[in-house]
Amino acid sequence: MTVAPGTVVAGRSDARRNREIVLRTAMRVFAEEGLEVSLGRIAQRAGVGAGTVYRHFPSKEILVEAVLAEQVQGFVVAAGEWAARAAPGDALFGFLLEVIEKSAGRRHVCDALTADQSWPRALLAAAAQRFREALEHLLHDAKRAGAIRADVRVEDLAALAVGGSALRAAHRDRARGTQLVRVLLDGLRTPAVTEPSTFRDTRALQRHETGAGHCVECGARLRARTTGRPARYCGPTCRQRARRRRIGEDGGAGSGPAG
C-alpha cells in the first residue's frame, strides 16, 4: 500500500514534536527534582505515555545525555550572540558570566563543560567540542583586542566556569555571589587595563545597575549624553525587551523556582 507523502511527513513531525516535549520536560524536571527521577515521572509531567518516552530515549542515561547536550548547545548559541553584539572583551566576560549563572548548582552540566570522562557518549562529546571551539573563538578575539592576559588558555576558562558556578551556588546572597564571580573574572584582565570593568552583568543584577556606559539589555556601548539622565538602553527595542522581561519576572514571582 502506498502511503501519501503528507502522511509520512505528519508522522515524522509528530515524532519530532513528542521528542521535543519529552526533552524540554526532562530539563525542567531534572532541574527541579534532580537526576534521580524516573522516566515514568517525566512521562507524567510531559503528558505523554511511557512508551513515547522510551521510544525516543530507551534509558534514563540516554535522556540525561540529551538534556546535557541541549544545555551545552545553548551555550554555543549564546557565545555566537555575544560575539555578534559586544566588543571582544565584553563578549568573553559576558559569556562566561552567563555560563556561570546558568550552570550554578548543576554539577552534571559543569562536568559536561570540562568534558568529564564519565560522559563519553558521542552526542554530549560533540556538544562539548562545539562549546570549546566557541570559547576558543571568544578568547582569541579578546586576546587580539588586548582585553585578557596573553597566558590564559581555553582550559583555564572552562575550569573557571565550573569553579565560578560552584562559588555562585554556594553563596546565600545571589547578588553577592555574582559580584564575587566578577572579581574572579577581573583577575584575567590585562594588567595594563586600569579602567573599570564594563562587561554586562547577569540579568538578575541589571535591575540594580545602570551598565556604566553600556546597554543593560544587550551590552552594546552607549553614546555619551551631555544633558539629562544617562541612557540605560541603546534603543526602543532593548527598552521594550527589558520591560517585557520585568513583567514576566514580576508575574512569576509567586510561582516558585523555574525549571
PDB file of all heavy atoms in Angstrom, residues 113 141 143 188 191:
ATOM      1  N   LEU A 113      30.886  20.591  30.590  1.00  0.00           N
ATOM      2  CA  LEU A 113      31.679  21.698  30.056  1.00  0.00           C
ATOM      3  C   LEU A 113      33.169  21.398  30.084  1.00  0.00           C
ATOM      4  O   LEU A 113      33.932  21.925  29.279  1.00  0.00           O
ATOM      5  CB  LEU A 113      31.395  22.980  30.855  1.00  0.00           C
ATOM      6  CG  LEU A 113      29.956  23.503  30.807  1.00  0.00           C
ATOM      7  CD1 LEU A 113      29.854  24.810  31.575  1.00  0.00           C
ATOM      8  CD2 LEU A 113      29.492  23.690  29.371  1.00  0.00           C
ATOM      9  N   ASP A 141      39.657  36.377  20.091  1.00  0.00           N
ATOM     10  CA  ASP A 141      39.297  37.764  19.794  1.00  0.00           C
ATOM     11  C   ASP A 141      39.649  38.692  20.953  1.00  0.00           C
ATOM     12  O   ASP A 141      40.106  39.823  20.754  1.00  0.00           O
ATOM     13  CB  ASP A 141      37.805  37.866  19.478  1.00  0.00           C
ATOM     14  CG  ASP A 141      37.468  37.256  18.122  1.00  0.00           C
ATOM     15  OD1 ASP A 141      38.397  36.925  17.366  1.00  0.00           O
ATOM     16  OD2 ASP A 141      36.258  37.093  17.834  1.00  0.00           O
ATOM     17  N   LYS A 143      42.032  38.263  23.165  1.00  0.00           N
ATOM     18  CA  LYS A 143      43.492  38.440  23.202  1.00  0.00           C
ATOM     19  C   LYS A 143      43.946  39.437  22.138  1.00  0.00           C
ATOM     20  O   LYS A 143      44.812  40.282  22.397  1.00  0.00           O
ATOM     21  CB  LYS A 143      44.186  37.092  22.999  1.00  0.00           C
ATOM     22  CG  LYS A 143      44.170  36.192  24.231  1.00  0.00           C
ATOM     23  CD  LYS A 143      44.957  34.915  23.978  1.00  0.00           C
ATOM     24  CE  LYS A 143      45.012  34.055  25.235  1.00  0.00           C
ATOM     25  NZ  LYS A 143      45.804  32.821  25.026  1.00  0.00           N
ATOM     26  N   LEU A 188      41.556  38.045  35.261  1.00  0.00           N
ATOM     27  CA  LEU A 188      42.059  37.601  33.963  1.00  0.00           C
ATOM     28  C   LEU A 188      42.342  38.753  33.015  1.00  0.00           C
ATOM     29  O   LEU A 188      42.933  38.546  31.951  1.00  0.00           O
ATOM     30  CB  LEU A 188      41.043  36.665  33.297  1.00  0.00           C
ATOM     31  CG  LEU A 188      40.669  35.397  34.049  1.00  0.00           C
ATOM     32  CD1 LEU A 188      39.626  34.616  33.263  1.00  0.00           C
ATOM     33  CD2 LEU A 188      41.890  34.531  34.293  1.00  0.00           C
ATOM     34  N   PRO A 191      46.836  43.300  32.809  1.00  0.00           N
ATOM     35  CA  PRO A 191      47.240  44.170  33.915  1.00  0.00           C
ATOM     36  C   PRO A 191      47.297  45.638  33.554  1.00  0.00           C
ATOM     37  O   PRO A 191      47.054  46.501  34.388  1.00  0.00           O
ATOM     38  CB  PRO A 191      48.640  43.636  34.280  1.00  0.00           C
ATOM     39  CG  PRO A 191      48.624  42.215  33.845  1.00  0.00           C
ATOM     40  CD  PRO A 191      47.779  42.182  32.609  1.00  0.00           C
TER      41      PRO A 191
END
